[in-house]
Amino acid sequence: MKKYLLLLGLFGGSAALTSCEKYLDVNNNPNNPVVSTPNFLLPGIISNGIQTQMFTALRTPYITQYVVSRTANSGGNDQYYFTNAQSTNTFNYSYFQSGGNIGPMIAAAQAEGSAYYVGAGKIMQALILAHATDMLGDVPYTEAYLGGSNYTPKYDSQQQIYATINQLCDEGIVEMQKPASANFRPFYSTSPSESGDILYKGDASKWVRLAYTLKARQAQHLTKKQNYDPAAVLALCDKGFTSSSDDAQINFQTAVLPLANTTNIFGVTRSNFGGATFAANVVKYLNGTTYPGVIDPRWGVLVPTTSTGIDPGLGTAATTTGINVTPGSSPAVTDFYGGWYARDLGYFEVLTYHELKFIQAEAYFRAGNLQQAYTALREGVRANMAKVGGGGTYSPPTVAFPTISTAQINAYLASAAMPQTAGAITLRQIMEQKYLAMFLNPDVWSDMRRLDFRSDVYVNFAYPSRANPVLAAGTTASARFPRRLLPGATEVTYNPNAVAKLFSDAGATTNDDYVTKPLWFDMP
Amino acid sequence: MKKFYWLPFALLPSALVAPPGYAQTTPGAAAPAPAGTVTGVVRQSTDRTPLPGVNVIVKGTSNGTATDANGRYTLAGVPAGATLVFSFVGYTAQERRADGSTLDVALAADTRDLDEVVVLGYGIKQERRDLVTAVQEVTSKDIIDSRQPNIVNALQGKVAGVNITSSGGGAGEGASIVIRGGTSLDGDNQPLFIIDGMIMDNSSFQESTAPGGGSAFNGLLGRSVGAANRAGDLNPEDIASMTVLKGPAAAALYGLRAANGAVVITTKKGQAGRTQLNFRSQFSIDEVNRLPKMQDQYARGSNGIADATTRVSFGPRFQADQPIYDNLGNFFRKGYSYQNFVNMSGGSDKVSFFASASNLQQSGITPQSKYDKTTVRLSGSAQISPKLSVTGSAQYLNSGATRPLQGPGLLTSAGTSSGGFMLSLLNWPRNDDARNYLNPDGSRRRLLPLGSGTDADADNPYWAAERNPQTDRTNRFVGNVQLSFAPVKWLTLSHNIGTDWYTSRSTSVRAVGTSQVSNQNGGIAETVDQTRLTTATTLATFSHDFGEKLRGSLILGNTIEENRTEAVDYLGLIFQNPNFIGLNNTVTRSALQRDAKRHLIGNFARLSATIFDQLIVELQARYDQSSTLPRPDEGKIFGKGFLYGSAAAGYEFTKVLGLDQNPILNYGKLRASVAEVGRDTGPYRVLSPLTSNTYIGGGVRNDFYGSNPNLKPERTRTYEAGINLQFFKNRLSLDFNYYRSRTIDQLIAPRVSQATGFILQYINGGVVTNEGQEISLSGTPVRTAGGFSWDVLLNFYHNTNNVESLPAPLTVVYQSDAFITNVHEGGAFPGHAISGIAASDFARVNDPNSPYNGQVIINATTGFPTVNPTFVYAGNRAPRFTTQLTNTFTYKGLSLSTLFDFRVGGVVVNGNDYYQTTVGTSNRTLDRYKTVVFDGVVATRDASGNTTYAPNTRPTELTQSYYTTVLNTVGTPFIEDGSWARLRYLTLSYALPARWLGGSSSFLKGIELNVTGRNLVLLTKYSGADPETASAGAGVRGGGSGGIDYGNVPATRGVDMGLRVNF
């Protein structure tokens, strides 16, 4: 009996030992893969990378006075009150939702030999970093994306980030200029499902032009620097976008599960702007106030013709009173939702041909080549008007947009709002046309900052009523405006040492103080 | 003579192993006789007082009688050598051979006897006198006496060192249990549940954390519905005992999942003898205990003016003739429940069986809510040969509920208006009758029109209860088979294999026309969870008794566990036919798979030795290999093994002092132990999985959670010392424990800088300590010869939980499941308990050199206090100490039992008041329009930029804006003391005298009637509903969600009326 038991025990024991290892080997996730081919990672990198800018655009249009709060003295961004939470998405989407996937995608693309994916990864990283640093200043890069190995990454200086952006663009351009044969995998595919390059549907040459346009934008930010070189900017512009069909933009779409929140961040469905109305700053340009008698063809497109425009801090009546509402909306919604850029299924522009034309115009202007500046300015205005002048009816709320004819564009180009000769061109004209064409775009704030919100350039810009007293008490004209966003709330909590360094580097002790400190690009 | 102390088979009835020493026999029995009459006296074993009403029965027959008022019995027709069974409620039954015409018996009370056997798990039983670690047992009688359908609630007040929190008063709502404070910052801190030697599931439904799942997917958040805890599925009548193993020393044997202690459930088995049939029926009525208060002075409107575009109650004063509706009070109704239990047991010496069935039907205190539970169980055992025996148990459990949507509701951010039923009631203007919820065309009557794409109107609570039901249904099988083989006297081999397998289906309906965000066109979300826990344990038990000098046992064991979940989430949106509720009727649908598997192999050894019958030494070691922990050195993502164990000793000092027969102190034991236990993590945390990109373009992206290839086990070390004293011949027993534990290398997934590429990151780090004392005092202060007795059980518990450190640079670990209002969140701060609460506070002077340091800073322009939005530590939700006192008075068949429950300390977040303040229904807002000067200081900045402070003198009016923009952003004013004193239950029961039932020969063996009042008295300074609440449910990890009162179903009080019949 005992012998049998012993044998049984030995047999059982040895069997157990050999099967032990196998029994424990069940820690591979059956729900989701840990690796992916690059074509399924790139769509999210592109869309979420661009969505980051949409989140920033919930804030910056109040600073740049496209919109103001409908509530008088609301204590919001239009009166220069900021919170860390308002910056959280700008930071977090840059690094988690989009940026965190770039490294693994590039690695997968390099492993299989797909040059365009490597290039797109680098250019998207440059685009993401450029936006993050222009809004926030110093941001992590050299110690970013390290997961549990470094969960308190240090921040790199903006100067270093600018160099990184250029380097990433250059490296991306090299990859994108390789022949299609250098790719193991098609750069874009619709079968069996859409994957790969959802931005340009596989056109690598457009990525090259995007990279150059981005480089041009960043280089143009440095107009305060001694070594600012308009010729270098113009050289980049020459390699940039060649028409509006090159525009880097995301087209919004109806949300179909499992996709969510794919409609316009400015739209009525996402309802982020129910408490906003158009600022007087923008209305005055369009309705013939700034240039008496000159009605912009975009009046009624960008802004409903019933809008009065309000200066920040003053507020307007409730929507129930029918003032500053979308015409015909029932129940009444704010007039903001009656604009072209608030269409639920509209588009969000990151970087456009018309912006490039204004960059070119300013660089030529600064280089003293007024004739070329004049040409570029007119082309920028024309391109934007043509793009938003398609007309059509959209809902909700139901809004019919007028078309803008070539004749109308030409009439405007011939109006008092525009210089009629190269010699008559001014910086103000370039910047105000750029401002109107880049409607709601966060980078407009970069222009305003490097031009110190000059009242001779931005003539309609109004200092907010009952502005944050810390800013309002600023002793110099340029210190009275917000120059950067606060660090994201999650960074304050989870990376406090890095945030403390931001404050000490900036020489700020309070949040209100901090936002008035110019960034590196904004300093001589 | 050598005595063999066997560690017995799981199947053997405990009566068989009761050592003979305590059975009192009358010497000099007469010679055997044929069938005759046996007479005798039954006494109480400790003080020898006669016991009336004891059942005496000839084993295996229906021939029986009961003792009279003097404890005397006479039973005729007893065959020679027959066995008599003596049984009485509250006493250990005895079986004695009737070898003569007289047989006197002493019965021992069945809760405190030293020789009583305690089941420790895996079928290991140990005599109480040999215990050297903190173990407390709750018997079947106590569980049934509590009248709680949920066995976790039934433990309330019965065990020192245990904190039980009911989530709320909804029908079938869960309760959480934490033993000796939580050890884990982020993990589940509830104990391991073991049923008949196998691991049992006691989880609660929680939102899936998968991206695109949970809050973003079906919206059925733990905090939106008061989910059940799975131990509540069990039938309380099936349970023979529940043993609570408190520390890791007691739990080291049961593996890493018992790091927070263990609750070991032993189910009832058949008793040899006459087949017994028990029937119990209970009817209960419940009503809401306390409701939040609402102001009745101001009607709907803003700034004192009636305003139909808002729901808030900052409008004009009510006119004298204007009706004021009690919408909150009107909503709640009486809840009824009907419970029926039947069980049957019997068997011969070789084979026994136990069969039971139960059913519960309950209607809740909120409209439409209901809960039902049905159980069927069969267990049996067979002695196949003298050496081989088999026992098995199988039970089928079915439970389900319809629950209201509570808290912040589905997919809504905290504090917005389209939340659950309670928030809707709390902001319903009192000049409007919420009961009028339908328009003539059958659509929902709205207070506010639908906006374009937005909806600020909360769902009417009656409408939501009817049209947006949250339902769930669980079908569950729990069963095991155990084989025991004893080849020689000193060795027993056993194998136990069992499974706990269930399918749980949770459905959330959103009707067309609901205000629930993104669901206005209707939808249905369903989660199907299939969970299977399988445990297979093989034990070799060696035991030997070398006489007075040494006896002991060695157990070698192996256990294999599998924990498998297969879950799918379905979501369909937009009903095509608005009146047909079904997935196929939806326009857009999506699905998500969430499978998980975890394997564990444990090998363990346990050596227990008793030297000179007074020194007990116990050594335990266990080596676990878990599939979830990586072996980075070997390049493997699974199977890390780790060793831990415990050493404990006990010393019966009364032996050496010769106090055994001392009339005052007759027993005393000192004990001490040290233990370490490890803990693993969840599956799939080594390599970061990708997940669906739910934004434009689809594809995949990184998951919220960053994985970590270097995870190692979390470890808890505990030191414990205790003393057990028995006085007055065991009439009074005192048990005292002191413990100190330290948990290091916490497995946590804190939020980190998203520059890491992730939102949360799995790491090891952080230290949590617990230190506490438990005092348990039990006894029978009075027992008279007349049949009156008074029993007392007093439990005192004090625990200090402390987060010693967090991994740098974390300053807090939040429990995001307990992020309930906008301004309060559960959080663990260094230097405070893990059950802390974080909240925003008024901005205060932070300058130690200023005489105004700590004072509130007042806005010089508005005269209102200013608020600092950064969350700060704002109190501990766990009590400082608790005391529970159970008194039982018995006189003959009449018994009165009460449980008083005292809790001192522990804060409660009055989230309802916070919400009501912002919508103008809180009594707090009755101060509106008053002019006040807020205490505090005004800051001014001098020319050199220095800030100076001066006392505030600015009078200001308490406007609507003060409530909605100042108080709305600050959490600390809504945190209150949650101390209480309550009469948790009072039970009066009466057992009809046997002679009324026709004497011993009647087929009716007993009838007991009882009436119980639950929560009859609640004394507390807390201003809201019942402070015992956990609005995010029982399943919240870390510090849990206890002490957060926000929009859930308030607790109830009620009456139970029951009848028990024995055949």
Side-chain angles (χ1 to χ4, degrees), chain A residues 179-248:
Chain A
S181 61
N183 284 276
F184 170 79
R185 172 186 306 281
F187 191 32
Y188 177 70
S189 174
T190 53
S191 175
S193 64
E194 187 181 41
S195 72
D197 171 23
I198 62 165
L199 185 62
Y200 289 128
K201 305 206 183 308
D203 187 340
S205 65
K206 287 187 178 180
W207 280 91
V208 173
R209 295 198 284 277
L210 170 62
Y212 282 118
T213 308
L214 178 64
K215 282 172 66 103
R217 177 199 264 186
Q218 299 308 115
Q220 186 68 2
H221 282 171
L222 306 179
T223 50
K224 277 186 179 173
K225 301 282 181 203
Q226 287 296 320
N227 58 356
Y228 166 73
D229 178 7
V233 175
L234 290 166
L236 292 167
C237 289
D238 288 344
K239 295 176 183 168
F241 292 147
T242 55
S243 76
S244 291
S245 68
D246 285 349
D247 289 357

Side-chain angles (χ1 to χ4, degrees), chain A residues 23 31 33 47 92 101 145 491, chain B residues 595 599 690 696 702 753-755:
Chain A
Y23 182 74
N31 307 307
S47 64
N92 290 354
N101 300 293
Y145 310 127
E491 286 299 286
Chain B
D595 292 353
H599 283 177
L690 296 164
I696 292 167
N702 45 354
S753 168
Q754 296 197 6

Side-chain angles (χ1 to χ4, degrees), chain B residues 622-936:
Chain B
R622 180 161 169 142
Y623 183 75
D624 274 336
Q625 285 171 283
S626 165
S627 67
T628 64
L629 285 171
R631 287 174 286 175
D633 302 344
E634 298 169 48
K636 291 191 170 146
I637 62 163
F638 62 91
K640 169 94 173 166
F642 45 107
L643 182 71
Y644 52 89
S646 70
Y651 177 53
E652 269 185 44
F653 60 88
T654 38
K655 277 255 169 58
V656 75
L657 298 175
L659 296 173
D660 281 13
Q661 301 303 319
N662 187 294
I664 298 166
L665 175 67
N666 63 312
Y667 178 83
K669 180 169 71 179
L670 284 166
R671 55 175 187 254
S673 66
V674 55
E676 179 156 305
V677 62
R679 169 137 83 167
D680 67 349
T681 186
Y684 320 136
R685 291 175 179 176
V686 180
L687 300 178
S688 302
L690 296 164
T691 191
S692 294
N693 171 37
T694 57
Y695 196 56
I696 292 167
V700 290
R701 62 163 173 80
N702 45 354
D703 193 2
F704 298 137
Y705 287 84
S707 296
N708 190 333
N710 297 307
L711 290 177
K712 55 188 178 181
E714 175 177 319
R715 286 183 182 268
T716 302
R717 177 169 291 182
T718 302
Y719 299 92
E720 180 182 295
I723 187 165
N724 176 221
L725 299 173
Q726 309 255 7
F727 302 94
F728 314 119
K729 296 188 172 177
N730 296 342
R731 275 278 279 272
L732 190 66
S733 169
L734 174 72
D735 208 84
F736 172 81
N737 284 310
Y738 169 84
Y739 62 87
R740 202 182 148 70
S741 77
R742 192 162 181 272
T743 307
I744 60 167
D745 290 338
Q746 296 266 340
L747 282 160
I748 54 178
R751 285 175 184 267
V752 290
S753 168
Q754 296 197 6
T756 56
F758 301 97
I759 295 177
L760 306 103
Q761 176 65 51
Y762 289 110
I763 54 171
N764 281 104
V767 178
V768 173
T769 61
N770 278 287
E771 182 180 17
Q773 302 87 33
E774 298 151 359
I775 301 169
S776 181
L777 187 68
S778 61
T780 307
V782 177
R783 185 190 303 279
T784 69
F788 175 75
S789 69
W790 171 28
D791 295 285
V792 172
L793 170 64
L794 178 81
N795 285 316
F796 170 89
Y797 168 48
H798 169 249
N799 182 62
T800 307
N801 178 285
N802 184 40
V803 178
E804 194 176 293
S805 67
L806 293 177
L810 297 181
T811 52
V812 57
V813 170
Y814 283 117
Q815 289 125 22
S816 48
D817 287 340
F819 193 4
I820 301 298
T821 78
N822 282 331
V823 293
H824 306 96
E825 181 170 12
F829 290 81
H832 297 287
I834 61 167
S835 48
I837 186 79
S840 57
D841 189 21
F842 293 112
R844 293 174 189 277
V845 177
N846 182 16
D847 176 5
N849 298 321
S850 166
Y852 302 109
N853 191 29
Q855 291 214 34
V856 174
I857 300 171
I858 308 294
N859 181 323
T861 321
T862 63
F864 292 143
T866 56
V867 176
N868 177 1
T870 307
F871 281 14
V872 294
Y873 175 77
N876 180 7
R877 290 169 287 142
R880 215 146 50 79
F881 59 84
T882 59
T883 301
Q884 288 105 10
L885 175 65
T886 308
N887 281 294
T888 306
F889 304 93
T890 315
Y891 179 69
K892 296 188 174 167
L894 197 63
S895 167
L896 176 71
S897 186
T898 61
L899 170 57
F900 289 97
D901 186 348
F902 305 91
R903 167 190 158 116
V904 175
V907 299
V908 178
V909 174
N910 195 341
N912 288 336
D913 188 27
Y914 164 74
Y915 182 73
Q916 286 179 273
T917 299
T918 66
V919 297
T921 61
S922 167
N923 276 337
R924 218 182 259 270
T925 65
L926 290 176
D927 288 336
R928 64 184 78 179
Y929 313 135
K930 279 188 186 156
T931 297
V932 298
V933 177
F934 280 98
D935 281 344

Side-chain angles (χ1 to χ4, degrees), chain A residues 244 247 298 352-361 372-388 409 412-413 418 429-430 433-438:
Chain A
S244 291
D247 289 357
R298 292 167 290 193
T352 55
Y353 169 69
H354 52 259
E355 181 185 345
L356 184 73
K357 285 291 132 187
F358 295 116
I359 292 170
Q360 204 176 20
Q372 289 284 21
Y374 176 76
T375 309
L377 170 63
R378 289 169 65 89
E379 172 59 6
V381 173
R382 188 208 56 78
N384 177 251
M385 287 188 175
K387 188 169 177 182
V388 302
I409 296 172
Y412 185 79
L413 292 176
M418 293 291 289
Q429 286 162 329
I430 297 168
Q433 288 305 329
K434 187 179 185 188
Y435 174 83
L436 289 172
M438 287 176 69

Side-chain angles (χ1 to χ4, degrees), chain A residues 1-2 5 20-21 23-36 40-41 43-44 47-48 51 54 91-93 95-97 100-101 140 144-148 150-153 194 198 250-253 256-262 268-271 320 330-331 333 490-491 493-497 510, chain B residues 309 450-454 485 487-488 493 560-562 571 573 588-590 593-595 597 599-601 625-629 631 636-639 683-684 686-691 693-704 751-759 761 763 807-812 814 941:
Chain A
M1 188 68 174
K2 278 181 186 170
L5 271 175
C20 223
E21 192 74 1
Y23 182 74
L24 292 168
D25 187 6
V26 291
N27 212 23
N28 286 300
N29 192 316
N31 307 307
N32 294 298
V34 295
V35 292
S36 167
F40 290 110
L41 284 164
S47 64
N48 286 310
Q51 191 178 204
M54 299 177 199
F91 188 89
N92 290 354
Y93 271 69
Y95 290 94
F96 163 65
Q97 214 90 0
N101 300 293
Y145 310 127
L146 294 176
N150 183 352
Y151 48 89
T152 55
E194 187 181 41
I198 62 165
I250 282 284
N251 293 312
F252 294 108
Q253 58 193 49
V256 175
L257 293 172
L259 305 191
N261 294 327
T262 56
V268 72
T269 299
R270 302 279 298 274
S271 71
T320 48
S330 177
V333 293
T490 49
E491 286 299 286
T493 310
Y494 307 119
N495 203 357
N497 297 336
T510 66
Chain B
T309 67
L450 180 68
S452 287
T454 58
F485 179 61
V488 285
L493 300 169
I560 297 169
E561 288 173 32
E562 182 185 65
L571 174 66
L573 289 178
T588 64
R589 290 170 221 164
S590 65
Q593 164 196 317
R594 289 181 288 118
D595 292 353
K597 199 190 272 182
H599 283 177
L600 182 125
I601 301 173
Q625 285 171 283
S626 165
S627 67
T628 64
L629 285 171
R631 287 174 286 175
K636 291 191 170 146
I637 62 163
F638 62 91
Y684 320 136
V686 180
L687 300 178
S688 302
L690 296 164
T691 191
N693 171 37
T694 57
Y695 196 56
I696 292 167
V700 290
R701 62 163 173 80
N702 45 354
D703 193 2
F704 298 137
R751 285 175 184 267
V752 290
S753 168
Q754 296 197 6
T756 56
F758 301 97
I759 295 177
Q761 176 65 51
I763 54 171
L810 297 181
T811 52
V812 57
Y814 283 117
R941 199 176 278 199

